[in-house]
């Protein structure tokens, strides 16, 4: 049985995103993040489950919990006191300026090149292929909210490594208000406006192919939606049906 908790906590922080704030906190070695929309938490768990059917199976593992009729995602604390920097925080510490400020002047390929060169200079790490993998997975799960506060580095054995993929509460249509009129072009961040644009660029600079193996859509969504709360279930299931046979990006 899931241990109960008080949401108000000394460790509670506001986790920012371009779409707003998701309240999150740490307790007993786990992070809890509140559902901020109709089915953001459900979408995050589905994205995590889908990662296991790809060759980018490096995702923070989320589970869905419900308490007092509120939904949360739960994930293990992978940081465990080790040095950890988002690309946003690293940029601020090294340059004294916000990387979001850089976004006001650079876009697309120029912004991508800037970020790669910055990280390489700051921590002696080439993150090109890591970013390609994350961004291609974002395209697969239709994530609208990848930004420099949810791309991060973790110090492991004295070497900086890209942190496992995390923050998918704006994937799989969960940040779209009108589910009866889904867009044909899906928004992306942080380098290009749409996933199609971003994929064309990624395929130009890298030979990496995201491979999605066939899967059973019903198993992916098992035990997530209550009978009385099915918002998002139909649109996610419909999308999974279109890609269940596998694909390559």
């Amino acid at each position: 049985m899931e241990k109960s908790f008080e949401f108000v906590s000394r460790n509670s922080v506001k986790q920012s995103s371009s779409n707003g704030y998701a309240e999150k906190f740490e307790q007993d070695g786990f992070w809890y993040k509140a559902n901020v929309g109709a089915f953001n938490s459900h979408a995050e768990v589905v994205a995590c489950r889908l990662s296991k059917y790809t060759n980018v199976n490096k995702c923070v593992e989320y589970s869905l919990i419900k308490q007092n009729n509120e939904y949360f995602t739960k994930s293990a604390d992978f940081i465990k006191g080790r040095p950890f920097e988002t690309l946003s925080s690293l940029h601020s510490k090294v340059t004294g300026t916000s990387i979001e400020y850089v976004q006001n002047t650079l876009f697309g390929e120029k912004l991508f090149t800037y970020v790669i060169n910055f990280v390489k200079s700051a921590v002696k790490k080439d993150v090109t292929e890591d970013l390609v993998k994350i961004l291609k997975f974002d395209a697969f799960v239709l994530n609208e909210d990848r930004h420099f506060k949810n791309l991060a580095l973790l110090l492991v054995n004295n070497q900086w490594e890209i942190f496992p993929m995390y923050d998918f509460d704006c994937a799989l249509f969960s940040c779209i208000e009108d589910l009866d009129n889904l867009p044909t072009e899906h928004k992306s961040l942080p380098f290009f406006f749409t996933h199609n644009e971003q994929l064309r660029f990624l395929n130009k600079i890298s030979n990496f192919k995201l491979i999605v193996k066939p899967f059973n859509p019903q198993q992916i969504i098992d035990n997530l939606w209550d009978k009385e709360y099915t918002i998002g279930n139909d649109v996610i299931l419909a999308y999974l049906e279109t890609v269940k046979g596998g694909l390559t990006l």
Side-chain angles (χ1 to χ4, degrees), residues 24 31 34 58 65 69 80-81 83-84 102 109-110 115 124 133 136-137 140 144 149 171 174 186 199 215 217-218 249:
K24 71 182 296 187
W31 279 96
K58 191 181 180 185
I65 63 173
N69 291 317
K80 297 179 180 177
F84 171 87
V102 176
E109 184 171 353
K110 290 182 179 179
V115 169
K124 307 299 184 289
K133 292 175 182 179
K136 285 203 169 189
F137 183 76
F140 169 49
E144 292 187 4
K149 291 179 180 176
S174 60
H186 299 286
L199 283 171
F215 59 86
Q218 196 60 51
L249 293 178

Side-chain angles (χ1 to χ4, degrees), residues 18-141:
S18 63
N19 286 281
Y21 291 91
E23 203 79 50
K24 71 182 296 187
F25 70 95
E26 184 273 340
Q27 179 175 293
D28 299 330
F30 291 94
W31 279 96
Y32 297 86
K33 181 165 61 171
N35 191 54
V36 294
F39 60 100
N40 302 79
S41 295
H42 300 73
E44 190 154 61
V45 175
V46 171
C48 162
R49 291 179 177 181
L50 285 171
S51 71
K52 300 182 189 309
Y53 291 86
T54 75
N55 55 339
V56 190
N57 184 14
K58 191 181 180 185
C59 184
V60 167
E61 187 156 347
Y62 293 99
S63 58
L64 185 75
I65 63 173
K66 184 180 181 182
Q67 182 167 295
N68 299 326
N69 291 317
E70 297 290 335
Y71 294 100
F72 301 81
T73 52
K74 175 183 177 182
S75 58
D77 181 6
F78 288 90
I79 301 172
K80 297 179 180 177
R82 292 178 292 188
F84 171 87
E85 296 287 350
T86 67
L87 296 195
S88 179
S89 65
L90 181 67
H91 192 274
S92 295
K93 289 179 180 180
V94 172
T95 70
T97 60
S98 164
I99 197 168
E100 288 75 22
Y101 175 79
V102 176
Q103 284 183 282
N104 293 330
T105 57
L106 297 178
F107 180 72
E109 184 171 353
K110 290 182 179 179
L111 180 59
F112 188 93
T113 301
Y114 174 86
V115 169
I116 294 300
N117 289 339
F118 162 71
V119 175
K120 194 180 296 184
S121 173
V123 299
K124 307 299 184 289
K125 173 76 175 178
D126 185 348
V127 296
T128 303
E129 290 301 300
D130 295 296
L131 279 183
V132 169
K133 292 175 182 179
I134 292 171
L135 296 175
K136 285 203 169 189
F137 183 76
D138 278 344
F140 169 49
V141 297

